[in-house]
Amino acid sequence: EDIVEHSMGRGYLHKAMVVCIDKATAVRMYDKVQAHWKDYLGELKKQLAKARDETEKEELYEKVIFMEGTDMAVVVSQGQNEVAEMRKKGLDILPHRKRMLNQDLDTKFKDEDDPFRIVFVCAMWMTGFDVPCCSTIYLDKPMRNHSLMQTIARANRVFEDKVNGLIVDYVGVFRNLQKALAIYASGRGRTAEEGETPVLPKEELVKVLREAISSAEVFCGERGVDLDAIHEAEGFDRIKLLDDAVEALIVNDESKRQFLSLASRVVKLFRAVFPDPREDEFLERRNVIAILARKIRSLSPQPDISGVMEDVEKLLDRSVAAEPYVIHEPGEVYGEQRVDLSQVDFEALQKRFVEGRKRTEAERLRALLEQKLNRLVRVNRTRLSFKERFQELIDEYNTGSINVETFFKQLMAFAKELSEEEKRAISENLDEEELTVFDLLTKPEMDLTKKERGQVKKVAKELLESLKHEKLVLDWRKRQQSRAQVLVTIQDVLDQGLPQKYTEEIFQQKCELVYQHVYDSYAGEGRSVYAAAG
């Protein structure tokens, strides 16, 4: 019963091992956990049927889905007469043995996305079985020395947001820990007491979480952000305080990075501690910190997914953010994943900047420009100068050389430049792919007449048509003959179509540039950076 309650209390899709004293106990424990799992699920469904609040319904529904989707299995070594031996003890091992023989259970358990989440073992998988995503071990078997150290190792791997494993000791086995560490874990002549131990009581983890929250509080306090005031506020007052806090925390990139790092540590440690009777001490602060981090990340049209929280965190956040934070309505400029600068109302942006929180609006505009710039450079490397200028502008702001008003003004000017660059293909009567080849052939700027520029445009179109229809076959980059054919085609088309002003030296340079562009941008069979960008 405790295993079921604790497993559900972890709050995320974790993997767990239940280590039992022998094979029969592993089977019996499986049966008992299954029974309590069914009872727990039944209670959840009753609560769901009675729930009136939509938030509560959603939380209960997600738990029901998790429990119904969770798979469990017994993994033990095969022995002679095991079926008869188990039957004497009132157990049936046949279904378990068939599954062990017919399914690749070890691969399923190692797969973090596979619903096989709880395994019951006694000796198997205790050595040489590496499962980084396994976060919890329920230890119900007396162990010592090497066996104990190997078991600890099943959960001690760092994995994504997992900062540590958790061992639930039901038999007091860690009385033998120091002896085991003295034999197997000490290095360079140190005793276990002198060195660091790989296993600490949970109180130590709680202490680390408390320190992490304190560090985040100090950081926020130094910037005028009162986390207590945010938590105690309600409704629109809370939203205003949250927005003010974001404005204070994004004074520059370094401040933003430091806060997001502190917040990420708090969130990860809170997850590692969960569930724990002391969690109420941290819940309110953790929620405020997590919401601030999420709001800062949301300023970008494409948030950094490394900091995205798990489903349980979204549920926990509702206790502090009853009103969802809506960044923009559908169709507003920052809500669009595909940014079209020609549709940006720069006058409205300027007004919002003057009347609103200046750093927040500057951060949003910067994120918009960064997204657009990354796409423009990805499809046309000759635009790297734009990226270099953009980075110089950001560096000036971060070092304090320019204030936020100047920064925003220069971002606005840069946005208009990018908008013009985005339209240039139309003005040149080319598509984006043709424009890229044209730029490669004409930049740095060559002294070409209008007629000669027309010749280069014609060459760009003919080259792409020839390559795409004949040479850029599937996996062409993997075959030497295909690569050679592409290079020869480039040389032939350029040789026949480029104006006389292209000397032999310039001609060779352009051939190399265009070939490298084709190699980097076209995978063959219609696959290219242009298809992805579209």
Side-chain angles (χ1 to χ4, degrees):
E1 184 177 8
D2 187 70
I3 288 173
V4 173
E5 292 181 357
H6 186 274
S7 184
M8 289 304 299
R10 291 292 271 163
Y12 58 97
L13 304 182
H14 71 115
K15 300 267 184 173
M17 301 181 75
V18 182
V19 184
C20 306
I21 192 169
D22 56 25
K23 297 177 188 179
T25 307
V27 175
R28 186 173 286 112
M29 187 68 77
Y30 170 91
D31 293 340
K32 289 179 178 291
V33 169
Q34 284 281 346
H36 284 288
W37 194 268
K38 183 178 179 180
D39 292 343
Y40 195 104
L41 177 59
E43 287 300 316
L44 283 182
K45 288 182 176 180
K46 289 179 183 178
Q47 294 174 32
L48 179 60
K50 298 178 181 178
R52 296 289 179 264
D53 179 77
E54 288 301 318
T55 299
E56 183 184 5
K57 281 184 180 181
E58 184 178 348
E59 293 177 5
L60 290 169
Y61 178 74
E62 290 185 11
K63 286 184 178 181
V64 168
I65 294 300
F66 170 78
M67 295 195 77
E68 289 182 336
T70 294
D71 184 21
M72 307 178 198
V74 174
V75 175
V76 294
S77 59
Q78 193 166 8
Q80 291 184 344
N81 302 319
E82 66 176 4
V83 175
E85 290 295 327
M86 289 292 182
R87 281 177 180 165
K88 290 178 182 178
K89 299 176 180 179
L91 302 170
D92 183 7
I93 198 173
L94 269 177
H96 301 292
R97 181 58 61 199
K98 287 180 180 179
R99 190 169 182 197
M100 284 181 263
L101 294 174
N102 296 332
Q103 296 186 26
D104 188 1
L105 292 177
D106 56 348
T107 298
K108 288 170 64 68
F109 195 68
K110 290 177 180 179
D111 182 359
E112 62 173 316
D113 298 319
D114 193 284
F116 178 23
R117 298 183 183 121
I118 304 178
V119 63
F120 299 80
V121 299
C122 64
M124 289 187 68
W125 290 8
M126 287 295 95
T127 60
F129 186 69
D130 190 24
V131 188
C133 60
C134 180
S135 64
T136 313
I137 290 180
Y138 299 102
L139 194 53
D140 193 30
K141 176 181 181 179
M143 307 180 84
R144 64 179 64 185
N145 300 343
H146 183 262
S147 297
L148 177 56
M149 296 306 298
Q150 286 289 337
T151 303
I152 291 170
R154 297 315 99 206
N156 72 349
R157 289 287 301 279
V158 174
F159 179 78
E160 294 182 355
D161 285 346
K162 171 189 164 190
V163 294
N164 61 269
L166 181 64
I167 299 176
V168 181
D169 178 16
Y170 287 120
V171 292
V173 75
F174 284 95
R175 290 171 297 189
N176 298 317
L177 177 61
Q178 288 301 323
K179 182 179 179 182
L181 289 173
I183 299 172
Y184 296 99
S186 300
R188 299 181 182 178
R190 295 180 301 174
T191 65
E193 289 76 13
E194 294 169 336
E196 291 187 358
T197 171
V199 182
L200 296 172
K202 200 174 184 183
E203 286 74 13
E204 293 295 322
L205 187 61
V206 171
K207 180 181 177 182
V208 173
L209 172 60
R210 188 177 290 115
E211 292 171 351
I213 290 177
S214 177
S215 296
E217 288 175 333
V218 170
F219 183 87
C220 291
E222 291 173 347
R223 286 150 184 80
V225 176
D226 188 340
L227 298 182
D228 283 333
I230 294 173
H231 171 71
E232 292 169 2
E234 296 180 355
F236 289 110
D237 289 337
R238 176 180 295 160
I239 293 173
K240 178 182 180 301
L241 287 176
L242 285 168
D243 289 342
D244 288 343
V246 170
E247 178 79 0
L249 293 170
I250 61 171
V251 62
N252 54 42
D253 281 0
E254 182 60 27
S255 175
K256 181 173 68 174
R257 276 194 296 267
Q258 286 186 35
F259 174 75
L260 291 178
S261 176
L262 290 168
S264 177
R265 180 164 173 74
V266 168
V267 169
K268 289 177 181 179
L269 288 170
F270 183 85
R271 276 185 24 153
V273 167
F274 208 71
D276 190 274
R278 292 158 292 196
E279 64 199 35
D280 289 345
E281 174 188 346
F282 311 108
L283 182 62
E284 295 172 357
R285 292 297 177 85
R286 172 258 171 219
N287 285 348
V288 174
I289 291 168
I291 291 169
L292 286 172
R294 188 176 61 194
K295 286 170 72 71
I296 289 173
R297 292 189 180 99
S298 72
L299 296 177
S300 169
Q302 293 180 320
D304 175 9
I305 63 171
S306 66
V308 174
M309 302 161 206
E310 299 287 347
D311 291 344
V312 64
E313 298 172 51
K314 296 175 185 176
L315 299 176
L316 289 171
D317 287 344
R318 296 195 186 109
S319 66
V320 103
E323 303 83 6
Y325 172 56
V326 180
I327 306 165
H328 293 281
E329 294 297 327
E332 284 193 44
V333 60
Y334 298 123
E336 297 289 340
Q337 288 299 308
R338 176 71 182 273
V339 180
D340 184 355
L341 293 179
S342 65
Q343 301 300 313
V344 175
D345 186 340
F346 288 104
E347 291 185 4
L349 280 178
Q350 181 67 45
K351 183 178 179 182
R352 285 171 56 172
F353 176 79
V354 172
E355 297 177 353
R357 295 170 177 83
K358 292 180 168 55
R359 295 189 193 114
T360 301
E361 293 303 325
E363 183 71 19
R364 283 175 172 154
L365 178 55
R366 168 191 165 176
L368 180 152
L369 295 179
E370 195 162 17
Q371 184 190 22
K372 170 54 66 176
L373 184 57
N374 286 338
R375 179 189 174 275
L376 290 176
V377 171
R378 186 171 69 252
V379 299
N380 190 338
R381 299 289 291 176
T382 67
R383 293 167 173 153
L384 276 172
S385 59
F386 282 96
K387 198 160 189 175
E388 291 168 357
R389 287 173 48 211
F390 185 66
Q391 188 58 52
E392 288 173 1
L393 176 57
I394 293 171
D395 291 342
E396 280 188 89
Y397 177 63
N398 283 331
T399 58
S401 300
I402 56 176
N403 58 27
V404 68
E405 287 81 7
T406 303
F407 181 54
F408 187 82
K409 182 179 179 180
Q410 293 186 13
L411 286 176
M412 293 274 284
F414 190 80
K416 292 176 181 178
E417 282 190 64
L418 283 189
S419 183
E420 291 300 317
E421 174 63 21
E422 195 173 21
K423 298 174 186 175
R424 191 164 60 85
I426 299 173
S427 66
E428 295 285 4
N429 195 27
L430 299 168
D431 63 26
E432 189 68 52
E433 296 179 70
E434 296 164 349
L435 179 67
T436 302
V437 176
F438 176 76
D439 286 345
L440 288 169
L441 295 173
T442 57
K443 292 181 179 181
E445 294 299 331
M446 296 185 64
D447 185 18
L448 299 175
T449 65
K450 184 176 181 180
K451 180 180 178 181
E452 289 168 335
R453 287 176 63 85
Q455 287 180 259
V456 178
K457 291 179 184 178
K458 183 180 178 182
V459 167
K461 292 180 179 182
E462 290 176 350
L463 177 61
L464 285 173
E465 183 177 359
S466 178
L467 289 173
K468 291 162 74 173
H469 287 174
E470 301 174 12
K471 306 301 179 184
L472 300 181
V473 296
L474 182 65
D475 293 334
W476 71 272
R477 293 180 292 193
K478 296 181 179 180
R479 296 191 291 272
Q480 183 177 356
Q481 184 178 357
S482 298
R483 296 197 302 269
Q485 289 175 349
V486 169
L487 179 57
V488 169
T489 300
I490 292 171
Q491 292 171 337
D492 288 347
V493 174
L494 296 190
D495 187 42
Q496 295 171 17
L498 288 178
Q500 292 298 316
K501 284 184 180 177
Y502 284 78
T503 65
E504 181 64 26
E505 182 181 356
I506 295 175
F507 171 78
Q508 292 298 334
Q509 291 175 352
K510 297 304 182 183
C511 286
E512 292 174 8
L513 284 172
V514 172
Y515 174 77
Q516 190 61 51
H517 161 67
V518 173
Y519 185 90
D520 292 339
S521 303
Y522 294 88
E525 292 292 310
R527 295 179 298 161
S528 71
V529 296
Y530 300 94

